[in-house]
């Protein structure tokens, strides 16, 4: 239903733009060229304070760029307006033992709102978790002297109270695209830059 609505909206916008252009005069030769559409992105690196491991050194690096309608899916051949590319990497040094864990993931979704963003990435290399797992991240730029903040899906309880495993324990649902908790962990060193852009309408049918 959502994909159909986006498609309808996109076709309506394209029809309106075409009609307006046909009714108006042709642009002058010296008219300024149309600026390219703004692209949403998140870039930066930071050490964060995690309340449940306050002495550990935990760092994240994010390089994510929006790439709307670039990842075809079953039933959604045009992809999604939140499609994105890039990488997320993180490094966790346990203060008590000196153990080091690292991982890297490929970004597949990004959505922004002002100075905040949520994104997801699929693990491509990891010392601590399964390759192929999707992880959720959120970023919030600090305002009025407040620090930047970051959230990560495994850092807070993510359970489905309605479902249990064979032992009767609640289970953790899979992370869907662009799903992440609020940015709960403050950056104590470094930071992130969020560039906001509105979600684009669906491409015209002939471009799919």
């Amino acid at each position: 239903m959502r994909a159909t609505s986006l498609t309808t909206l996109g076709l309506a916008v394209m029809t309106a733009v075409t009609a307006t252009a046909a009714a108006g005069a042709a642009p002058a030769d010296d008219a300024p060229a149309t600026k390219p559409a703004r692209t949403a992105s998140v870039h930066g690196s930071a050490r964060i304070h995690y309340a449940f491991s306050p002495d550990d050194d935990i760092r994240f690096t994010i390089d994510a760029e929006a790439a709307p309608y670039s990842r075809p899916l079953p039933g959604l051949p045009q992809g999604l307006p939140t499609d994105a590319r890039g990488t997320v990497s993180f490094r966790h040094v346990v203060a008590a033992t000196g153990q080091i864990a690292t991982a890297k993931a490929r970004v597949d979704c990004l959505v922004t709102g002002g100075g905040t963003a949520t994104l997801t990435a699929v693990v491509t290399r990891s010392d601590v978790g399964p390759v192929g797992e999707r992880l959720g991240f959120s970023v919030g730029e600090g305002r009025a002297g407040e620090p930047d903040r970051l959230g990560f899906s495994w850092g807070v309880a993510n359970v489905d109270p309605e479902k249990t495993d064979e032992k009767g324990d609640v289970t953790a649902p899979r992370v869907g695209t662009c799903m992440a908790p609020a940015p709960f962990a403050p950056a104590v060193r470094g930071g992130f830059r969020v560039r906001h852009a509105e979600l684009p309408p669906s491409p015209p049918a002939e471009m799919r």
Side-chain angles (χ1 to χ4, degrees), residues 46-181:
R47 176 179 176 179
I48 58 99
H49 173 79
Y50 182 46
F52 304 105
S53 302
D55 298 323
D56 292 359
D57 185 334
I58 306 174
R59 301 170 187 258
F60 290 83
T61 298
I62 300 176
D63 287 297
E65 297 272 350
Y69 305 108
S70 63
R71 295 177 179 275
L73 295 169
L76 293 170
Q78 78 275 20
L80 296 169
T82 52
D83 287 342
R85 55 176 170 257
T87 58
V88 177
S89 60
F90 51 93
R91 182 175 184 267
H92 184 166
V93 181
V94 181
T97 64
Q99 180 183 0
I100 300 175
T102 62
K104 189 171 185 178
R106 183 185 68 253
V107 173
D108 64 356
C109 189
L110 169 66
V111 62
T112 61
T116 64
T118 61
L119 59 146
T120 47
V122 178
V123 176
T124 56
R125 179 185 59 77
S126 177
D127 300 332
V128 292
V131 170
E133 181 181 13
R134 178 178 289 104
L135 305 174
F137 304 90
S138 60
V139 176
E141 284 192 29
R143 294 289 187 269
E146 290 293 319
D148 292 353
R149 290 180 173 271
L150 183 138
F152 45 102
S153 56
W154 67 98
V156 293
N158 176 29
V159 298
D160 186 344
E162 306 301 323
K163 295 183 179 180
T164 58
D165 59 18
E166 62 276 4
K167 297 180 181 179
D169 297 329
V170 292
T171 60
R174 296 180 61 183
V175 174
T177 56
C178 276
M179 297 292 100

